[in-house]
Amino acid sequence: MRSVIILFPGTNRSRDMTMAIRRVSPHAPRLVRHHETDLPATDLIVLPGGFAYGDYLRAGAMAARAPVMRAVVEQARRGVMVLGVCNGFQVLTEVGLLPGALMRNAGLAFTCRTVTLDVATTSSPFTAGYGAARTITLPVANNDGNFHADEETLDRLEGEDLVALRYVDPTLSNGSVRRIAGILNPERTVLGLMPHPENAIDRETGGEDGLVLFRSLAGLFR
């Protein structure tokens, strides 16, 4: 599986993401910086977590306008798989590849904890490996993890089975509507999620529930 990791000023999870991908692929991810305008041929584009541009304007808003994002959007519209985690999810909503917005946490404080999640759909290349009715555990670490969208959008996401993950405990959802933790685009080629699967790839350091997602993706390209 060929992959590209996009780096913005402030990105801080690229090494974690590299380690996760190397667990399932012999090919090391290519690192592409924010100012570049072209992407190498790839199967997967990853927007990792961090604080792109310090989130000084609004989480993900400045990164969405970086030169590299024009190439990311173009590739996504051609069907290349795109994974956005935490700050990457925020960027995907700001650039319009996913609907809704990520707002300040309901408690107005940074949250860092492990959460239990329902895999709401396995009808996607990202979640197919989890099987039916699977509950998983992943860490979250964010300041703006409060997912919101209008009722029409929420109804469409649920009606088209595009909610990928839900928080089991609503009190740990940071205020996200309908307990949504991750969503897909209609083509199921773009996934944005707030929890960090790249930090759950080892049984000795938090479990392997995140590794399943990467194995599911890698299985597409074998």
Side-chain angles (χ1 to χ4, degrees):
M1 179 176 69
R2 300 167 302 170
S3 59
V4 167
I5 297 176
I6 307 298
L7 300 180
F8 303 102
T11 296
N12 63 19
R13 297 295 181 107
S14 55
R15 291 188 178 184
D16 304 55
M17 190 62 70
T18 296
M19 291 176 62
I21 292 172
R22 288 306 305 268
R23 289 287 297 271
V24 301
S25 173
H27 304 291
R30 296 275 299 274
L31 303 180
V32 177
R33 299 189 178 276
H34 62 101
H35 56 78
E36 300 185 43
T37 56
D38 294 308
L39 296 178
T42 188
D43 302 310
L44 172 68
I45 300 169
V46 181
L47 280 65
F51 301 91
Y53 296 92
D55 288 341
Y56 289 130
L57 174 61
R58 185 175 65 248
M62 294 174 71
R65 288 151 182 80
V68 73
M69 288 306 299
R70 289 192 288 272
V72 171
V73 170
E74 180 181 342
Q75 292 298 316
R77 289 177 175 162
R78 290 179 180 175
V80 174
M81 307 295 293
V82 180
L83 173 65
V85 177
C86 196
N87 194 232
F89 184 11
Q90 296 159 350
V91 176
L92 290 177
T93 62
E94 291 287 343
V95 82
L97 287 175
L98 290 174
L102 280 303
M103 302 165 56
R104 288 290 304 275
N105 292 340
L108 300 182
F110 184 86
T111 182
C112 184
R113 59 167 68 95
T114 299
V115 296
T116 304
L117 303 152
D118 284 329
V119 179
T121 182
T122 54
S123 297
S124 84
F126 302 93
T127 58
Y130 287 110
R134 179 71 186 273
T135 299
I136 64 173
T137 301
L138 297 176
V140 295
N142 59 71
N143 195 58
D144 300 81
N146 184 350
F147 178 77
H148 271 258
D150 59 69
E151 291 297 312
E152 181 180 353
T153 298
L154 294 169
D155 289 343
R156 178 176 60 81
L157 288 171
E158 293 188 326
E160 297 181 10
D161 193 32
L162 298 178
V163 176
L165 297 169
R166 294 184 193 273
Y167 300 98
V168 170
D169 185 346
T171 67
L172 301 181
S173 69
N174 301 318
S176 295
V177 292
R178 304 191 191 184
R179 299 184 289 114
I180 291 174
I183 59 173
L184 297 153
N185 69 336
E187 296 76 21
R188 302 176 188 272
T189 55
V190 178
L191 171 66
L193 71 163
M194 287 310 298
H196 288 270
E198 76 278 12
N199 293 136
I201 62 169
D202 192 307
R203 187 178 298 108
E204 296 183 1
T205 57
E208 297 181 323
D209 284 347
L211 189 59
V212 176
L213 183 148
F214 295 101
R215 284 175 174 159
S216 293
L217 283 173
L220 289 175
F221 305 106
R222 290 198 181 101

